[in-house]
Amino acid sequence: MTDARLILGIETSCDETAAAVLRADKKILANVVFSQLEEHRPYAGVVPEIAARAHMEHLERVVSAALLEAGIGFADLSAIAVTAGPGLIGGVIVGVMAAQAYASVHRLPVLPVNHLEGHALAVRLTEEVEFPFLLVLVSGGHCQILAVEGVGRYVRLGGTRDDALGEAFDKTAKMMGLGFPGGPALERAARTGNSRRFSFPRPMLRQEGCDFSFSGLKTAVRLQLEELAAAGKVREQDKADIAASFQQAVVEVLQDRITHALAMFKVRYPAVERLPLVLSGGVAANQAIRGALEELAARQEAWFIAPPMALCTDNGAMIAWAGMERLLMGWRHEGAVEPRARWPLE
Ligand code: KG4
Ligand code: ZN
């Protein structure tokens, strides 16, 4: 008999107001995401106060839409999973308070979920991936490489020393006036650019371990823009060439860092065959990065997996699944849920 238990997952830690209904057999009955892009566009970045207010305004409607789409009511649920951090604290509080209110009215248990654990485990919703696997998590707020040993068992192999990768894309795009969100805009501009015109730095290349640093790269782009501006006008072709050269630097840094990470992983877990290399987070949408990592994995006899984009970017299904993995292990949470701005996985 299939396990028909249902979990409602709520996510409000950044600029997506999201709710999903997931069944224990991994069937996603609803996955509703309300993106606050329009609210933040005038500022070309996510404004925490605006995000919190928008979550408050939209969450109830998003939850109702998810339940309606799933064709269920609160009484059919086994639990409510909610992101309890890390993230923008105002938004996290809105989600946690709502989850606790629903739970107390409908007498349901609440499962606090670490947002990063949501990203880490999401791949298991669509692929039969066993532990341990290597996770490259690159989004607007996160940039780290982890060995995922099991539910609740994470080993951080490396991470950024300054900007997250998505943040570097966003800030660079903003400098060039490419619009918000910057990542997709920069990738679009790069398509018609010459990636060899500018030789930007490749921070951390060939250094020990698998840490990242992107602030120097960002600065190099700024200096280049200033130089072009001083010499006259910055043309569209100049912007395209800068975008392509920036993206090429990022690709080479990622290839180098992930090669190191794969080696570190193999030392730690020598018995793992066809090492799963999972790419997640919003930056996983980037085709140049995806292609480069796919090739790298093939050369290293690793198994490259990028979950479907709807599960890579912030969503409620990944939160419901992280809660479900714990529920299936018999885990329970007692007492009130504490919203946290910081909450390292390991
Ligand atoms: O996972 P996500 O939706 O939200 C969090 O940050 O948690 O990721 C959004 C980030 C933004 O920084 C966005 O610019 C970046 O992912 N991104 C991209 C692309 N699409 C989204 N970066 C590079 N290339 C893209 N095509
Ligand atoms: Zn995220």
Side-chain angles (χ1 to χ4, degrees):
M1 218 178 74
T2 57
D3 188 338
R5 278 181 287 179
L6 298 170
I7 287 187
L8 171 70
I10 294 177
E11 158 61 38
T12 56
S13 69
C14 190
D15 59 340
E16 257 86 39
T17 311
V21 178
L22 178 77
R23 207 163 63 193
D25 64 355
K26 301 188 179 181
K27 170 104 179 136
I28 300 171
L29 300 185
N31 192 17
V32 179
V33 179
F34 171 77
S35 169
Q36 305 174 0
L37 272 184
E38 294 314 318
E39 270 91 341
H40 300 289
R41 196 187 299 280
Y43 310 93
V46 178
V47 183
E49 292 75 17
I50 293 179
R53 206 172 324 125
H55 286 305
M56 211 143 46
E57 230 170 84
H58 299 293
L59 183 57
E60 199 178 344
R61 181 177 60 77
V62 168
V63 167
S64 302
L67 293 174
L68 186 72
E69 193 180 321
I72 64 158
F74 279 104
D76 301 307
L77 293 170
S78 290
I80 299 177
V82 62
T83 300
L88 302 174
I89 192 65
V92 176
I93 291 173
V94 171
V96 167
M97 291 306 148
Q100 294 192 131
Y102 290 132
S104 103
V105 171
H106 301 284
R107 306 200 164 279
L108 291 165
V110 178
L111 304 166
V113 169
N114 181 310
H115 178 83
L116 300 172
E117 177 160 73
H119 278 300
L121 300 177
V123 65
R124 284 162 54 83
L125 264 175
T126 51
E127 300 283 345
E128 297 295 319
V129 187
E130 300 297 333
F131 301 117
F133 59 84
L134 187 67
L135 174 74
V136 178
L137 177 56
V138 277
S139 71
H142 330 292
C143 187
Q144 41 188 285
I145 302 186
L146 299 161
V148 181
E149 291 186 338
V151 178
R153 290 170 50 208
Y154 307 90
V155 180
R156 190 177 193 273
L157 300 180
T160 185
R161 296 184 178 178
D162 38 62
D163 292 345
L165 182 52
E167 190 183 359
F169 267 93
D170 292 336
K171 288 179 176 169
T172 304
K174 189 173 178 178
M175 283 191 281
M176 293 198 277
L178 293 177
F180 174 78
L186 196 147
E187 182 179 21
R188 227 174 297 121
R191 281 197 203 119
T192 51
N194 173 0
S195 63
R196 283 190 300 266
R197 176 161 165 210
F198 302 106
S199 66
F200 292 133
R202 272 85 171 131
M204 307 299 290
L205 204 72
R206 285 187 280 281
Q207 291 194 30
E208 210 180 300
C210 58
D211 276 351
F212 299 96
S213 163
F214 295 108
S215 71
L217 177 55
K218 192 181 62 190
T219 306
V221 170
R222 183 171 53 76
L223 295 175
Q224 188 60 62
L225 277 167
E226 284 170 8
E227 192 186 312
L228 288 168
K233 194 168 163 293
V234 182
R235 295 169 304 132
E236 287 309 304
Q237 190 56 50
D238 296 327
K239 288 187 186 176
D241 293 343
I242 289 178
S245 302
F246 168 87
Q247 191 168 270
Q248 183 58 31
V250 166
V251 162
E252 287 177 28
V253 166
L254 283 175
Q255 281 172 321
D256 176 80
R257 304 287 75 201
I258 293 168
T259 301
H260 280 217
L262 287 166
M264 289 161 81
F265 189 97
K266 285 174 189 164
V267 169
R268 249 176 197 277
Y269 316 98
V272 176
E273 284 172 30
R274 224 178 140 233
L275 194 170
L277 167 61
V278 178
L279 177 68
S280 194
V283 181
N286 187 288
Q287 294 300 324
I289 291 174
R290 253 177 205 254
L293 296 190
E294 220 162 320
E295 274 172 31
L296 171 70
R299 279 201 302 278
Q300 300 261 343
E301 288 173 21
W303 173 26
F304 177 79
I305 316 167
M309 268 328 288
L311 297 178
C312 269
T313 54
D314 289 350
N315 66 89
M318 72 180 189
I319 302 306
W321 174 244
M324 187 69 85
E325 290 239 41
R326 288 179 175 267
L327 189 79
L328 297 175
M329 290 167 70
W331 187 79
R332 283 188 70 89
H333 177 82
E334 303 292 343
V337 177
E338 188 199 335
R340 308 190 201 181
R342 286 182 47 77
W343 185 2
L345 254 190
E346 66 295 357

